[in-house]
Amino acid sequence: MAQLQPKSVRYVTLDVFTTERFKGNPLAIVKLPSDVTLGQDVKQRIAREFNLSETVFLHPPSSETPSRTCDIFTPSEELPFAGHPTIGTLVYLATTDGLATEVVQSLTLQTKAGPIKASFDEETGVAEASIAHNVRVHQKPVPWQSIVDAQPSLKGLEAGSTTSCPLVSIVQGMTFILVNLPCLQDLASLALGGSPIDPSVLRWDEGWDSFTAPYFYVVASEDEDGRKMHVRSRMLDPTVGEDPATGSAASALAAYLALQRGTASATYSFNIEQGVEMGRKSEIGVKVRLDESGKAVKEVILSGAAVPVSQGTMVV
């Protein structure tokens, strides 16, 4: 029996949430031609081969409508949504893939979490994505002691006012423990050498079992009415390492902080810097608009830049 001939696919890598190469969060995008279909197991092996925090598989257009489907994989699993793959893919389509500007302005990315409407500013090089969201603050927060057990450097903060940390999902399947630290020194003291968060303390609401990771942050500054905030953050856990930029976590954090303030129909803007301590500074923009009650999120807009780094061909 004749063996099937291997086929080739093109790929590119970009650094996302930055305008400077070798900063931000690296992303691989594998472009799937119409004559190549990859199974889940093959996509997972390719993501493991790149060994980046996420790899995107970009499907060819299926119709005349400005819509593209993408699958997002970590080295260990598929994700319904992730921030830096969304922004990186949008910038790639706008600047490298030859799409006309007017097409990008009305482009929709189809993800497992739902459709994401996009826009791109040619002057600033920034992509914006109105992301699919289903924000949920779970009823049972994570005990502070569980955070300290995973990060011994925080032991001295045990006597503070914090007794627990909120467990927040931006969509079903993407959940973060939001850990508010007093100062940047505490943020810098975090290390990967600790133990993972005890899974027994992750008590999601029924039916919301999820990928979960801790997201540490410090509110560095905010304006008088609390509608513009500058935040420094880190996402690190022994099971996943440290991530230079986590758009989904930044979106969850921004949504949570906006809901805590709760002004009806208000829009809150966040400039979130991540990756500073690991030498890959990232700048993540998030805007959150609340509904008329001020108790629910109406819209989440994620924004950022990206720069191309490499390109090549992979045999599959």
Short mmCIF file of all heavy atoms in Angstrom, two decimals, residues 4 7 15 30 35 59 76 84 94 100 106 110 129 141 143 148 169 178 221 223 227 258 266 272 297 316:
data_model
loop_
_atom_site.label_atom_id
_atom_site.label_comp_id
_atom_site.label_asym_id
_atom_site.label_seq_id
_atom_site.Cartn_x
_atom_site.Cartn_y
_atom_site.Cartn_z
N LEU A 4 0.77 7.78 2.19
CA LEU A 4 0.35 9.13 1.88
C LEU A 4 1.54 10.06 1.94
O LEU A 4 2.37 9.98 2.86
CB LEU A 4 -0.72 9.60 2.87
CG LEU A 4 -2.07 8.87 2.79
CD1 LEU A 4 -2.99 9.38 3.91
CD2 LEU A 4 -2.73 9.08 1.44
N LYS A 7 2.35 16.59 3.70
CA LYS A 7 2.05 17.91 3.16
C LYS A 7 2.72 18.98 4.02
O LYS A 7 3.10 18.73 5.16
CB LYS A 7 0.54 18.14 3.10
CG LYS A 7 -0.16 17.21 2.11
CD LYS A 7 -1.62 17.59 1.96
CE LYS A 7 -2.27 16.70 0.89
NZ LYS A 7 -3.70 17.09 0.66
N ASP A 15 5.54 38.34 18.30
CA ASP A 15 5.53 38.73 19.71
C ASP A 15 4.35 39.67 19.90
O ASP A 15 4.18 40.66 19.17
CB ASP A 15 6.84 39.43 20.11
CG ASP A 15 7.99 38.44 20.22
OD1 ASP A 15 7.72 37.25 20.51
OD2 ASP A 15 9.15 38.84 20.02
N VAL A 30 -0.25 28.74 12.68
CA VAL A 30 -0.13 27.75 11.60
C VAL A 30 -1.28 27.99 10.62
O VAL A 30 -2.45 27.90 11.00
CB VAL A 30 -0.18 26.31 12.15
CG1 VAL A 30 -0.10 25.30 11.02
CG2 VAL A 30 0.95 26.09 13.15
N ASP A 35 -6.60 22.28 1.38
CA ASP A 35 -6.42 20.85 1.10
C ASP A 35 -5.77 20.09 2.25
O ASP A 35 -5.38 18.94 2.10
CB ASP A 35 -5.60 20.65 -0.17
CG ASP A 35 -4.18 21.22 -0.05
OD1 ASP A 35 -3.95 22.08 0.83
OD2 ASP A 35 -3.30 20.80 -0.82
N HIS A 59 -7.77 28.66 10.00
CA HIS A 59 -8.43 27.99 8.89
C HIS A 59 -8.62 28.95 7.72
O HIS A 59 -8.74 30.17 7.91
CB HIS A 59 -9.78 27.44 9.35
CG HIS A 59 -9.68 26.36 10.37
ND1 HIS A 59 -9.81 25.02 10.07
CD2 HIS A 59 -9.42 26.40 11.71
CE1 HIS A 59 -9.66 24.30 11.16
NE2 HIS A 59 -9.41 25.12 12.17
N SER A 76 -0.54 21.49 26.11
CA SER A 76 -1.21 20.35 26.75
C SER A 76 -2.70 20.23 26.46
O SER A 76 -3.28 19.17 26.67
CB SER A 76 -1.02 20.42 28.27
OG SER A 76 -1.57 21.63 28.78
N HIS A 84 -3.86 36.70 23.94
CA HIS A 84 -2.77 37.08 23.03
C HIS A 84 -2.85 36.35 21.70
O HIS A 84 -2.49 36.93 20.66
CB HIS A 84 -1.40 36.96 23.74
CG HIS A 84 -0.60 35.75 23.48
ND1 HIS A 84 -0.81 34.56 24.13
CD2 HIS A 84 0.45 35.54 22.64
CE1 HIS A 84 0.08 33.68 23.71
NE2 HIS A 84 0.84 34.24 22.79
N ALA A 94 -4.16 41.64 9.50
CA ALA A 94 -4.20 43.02 9.03
C ALA A 94 -2.92 43.47 8.36
O ALA A 94 -2.95 44.29 7.44
CB ALA A 94 -4.52 43.94 10.21
N ALA A 100 -7.47 43.52 3.01
CA ALA A 100 -7.69 44.95 2.92
C ALA A 100 -8.15 45.49 4.27
O ALA A 100 -8.80 44.80 5.05
CB ALA A 100 -8.74 45.25 1.85
N SER A 106 -14.16 44.80 9.58
CA SER A 106 -15.42 44.08 9.79
C SER A 106 -15.20 42.58 9.98
O SER A 106 -16.12 41.78 9.85
CB SER A 106 -16.36 44.30 8.59
OG SER A 106 -15.75 43.86 7.39
N GLN A 110 -13.86 33.41 14.58
CA GLN A 110 -14.70 32.38 15.20
C GLN A 110 -13.84 31.51 16.10
O GLN A 110 -12.91 30.86 15.64
CB GLN A 110 -15.37 31.53 14.11
CG GLN A 110 -16.28 32.30 13.17
CD GLN A 110 -17.55 32.80 13.84
OE1 GLN A 110 -17.91 32.37 14.94
NE2 GLN A 110 -18.25 33.71 13.18
N ALA A 129 -10.38 43.87 19.94
CA ALA A 129 -11.28 42.73 19.79
C ALA A 129 -12.38 42.82 20.84
O ALA A 129 -12.09 42.89 22.04
CB ALA A 129 -10.52 41.42 19.94
N PRO A 141 -14.71 31.80 47.02
CA PRO A 141 -13.35 32.25 46.70
C PRO A 141 -12.30 31.26 47.18
O PRO A 141 -12.61 30.27 47.87
CB PRO A 141 -13.25 33.58 47.46
CG PRO A 141 -14.20 33.42 48.60
CD PRO A 141 -15.32 32.56 48.11
N PRO A 143 -9.16 30.35 49.52
CA PRO A 143 -8.57 30.83 50.79
C PRO A 143 -7.17 31.40 50.59
O PRO A 143 -6.37 30.86 49.83
CB PRO A 143 -8.53 29.55 51.65
CG PRO A 143 -9.54 28.63 51.05
CD PRO A 143 -9.53 28.92 49.58
N VAL A 148 -0.69 31.42 49.91
CA VAL A 148 0.58 31.48 50.64
C VAL A 148 1.32 30.14 50.56
O VAL A 148 2.55 30.10 50.41
CB VAL A 148 0.32 31.88 52.11
CG1 VAL A 148 1.61 31.79 52.93
CG2 VAL A 148 -0.25 33.28 52.18
N SER A 169 -14.22 33.69 36.14
CA SER A 169 -14.14 33.18 34.77
C SER A 169 -14.48 34.30 33.80
O SER A 169 -15.46 35.03 34.00
CB SER A 169 -15.13 32.02 34.56
OG SER A 169 -14.84 30.94 35.42
N LEU A 178 -7.75 35.72 41.30
CA LEU A 178 -7.24 37.09 41.26
C LEU A 178 -6.66 37.46 42.63
O LEU A 178 -7.39 37.56 43.62
CB LEU A 178 -8.36 38.06 40.87
CG LEU A 178 -9.05 37.75 39.53
CD1 LEU A 178 -10.13 38.77 39.23
CD2 LEU A 178 -8.03 37.66 38.39
N SER A 221 -1.95 52.73 39.85
CA SER A 221 -2.54 54.07 39.92
C SER A 221 -3.93 54.03 39.30
O SER A 221 -4.25 53.14 38.52
CB SER A 221 -1.67 55.10 39.20
OG SER A 221 -1.60 54.80 37.80
N ASP A 223 -7.37 57.07 38.24
CA ASP A 223 -7.80 58.45 38.28
C ASP A 223 -8.82 58.65 39.40
O ASP A 223 -9.18 57.71 40.11
CB ASP A 223 -8.35 58.90 36.92
CG ASP A 223 -9.62 58.15 36.52
OD1 ASP A 223 -10.11 57.32 37.31
OD2 ASP A 223 -10.11 58.38 35.40
N ARG A 227 -12.07 55.24 36.93
CA ARG A 227 -12.45 54.68 35.63
C ARG A 227 -11.27 54.42 34.71
O ARG A 227 -11.43 53.83 33.64
CB ARG A 227 -13.47 55.59 34.93
CG ARG A 227 -14.78 55.68 35.69
CD ARG A 227 -15.90 56.23 34.83
NE ARG A 227 -17.10 56.45 35.62
CZ ARG A 227 -18.25 56.83 35.11
NH1 ARG A 227 -18.36 57.01 33.80
NH2 ARG A 227 -19.30 57.02 35.88
N ALA A 258 -14.10 46.33 37.38
CA ALA A 258 -15.21 47.20 36.95
C ALA A 258 -16.48 46.88 37.72
O ALA A 258 -17.19 47.79 38.17
CB ALA A 258 -15.43 47.04 35.45
N ALA A 266 -21.23 52.59 32.90
CA ALA A 266 -19.89 53.18 32.86
C ALA A 266 -18.94 52.33 32.04
O ALA A 266 -19.10 51.12 31.92
CB ALA A 266 -19.35 53.35 34.28
N ILE A 272 -2.66 47.36 31.47
CA ILE A 272 -2.11 46.30 32.30
C ILE A 272 -0.74 45.90 31.77
O ILE A 272 -0.61 45.46 30.62
CB ILE A 272 -3.07 45.09 32.34
CG1 ILE A 272 -4.42 45.53 32.91
CG2 ILE A 272 -2.46 43.95 33.16
CD1 ILE A 272 -5.48 44.45 32.90
N VAL A 297 -21.54 42.77 33.02
CA VAL A 297 -20.65 43.26 31.97
C VAL A 297 -21.36 43.20 30.63
O VAL A 297 -21.88 42.16 30.22
CB VAL A 297 -19.36 42.42 31.92
CG1 VAL A 297 -18.51 42.82 30.72
CG2 VAL A 297 -18.57 42.59 33.21
N VAL A 316 3.68 18.13 7.74
CA VAL A 316 2.69 17.48 8.60
C VAL A 316 2.21 16.18 7.98
O VAL A 316 2.37 15.94 6.79
CB VAL A 316 1.48 18.40 8.85
CG1 VAL A 316 1.92 19.64 9.63
CG2 VAL A 316 0.80 18.82 7.56
#
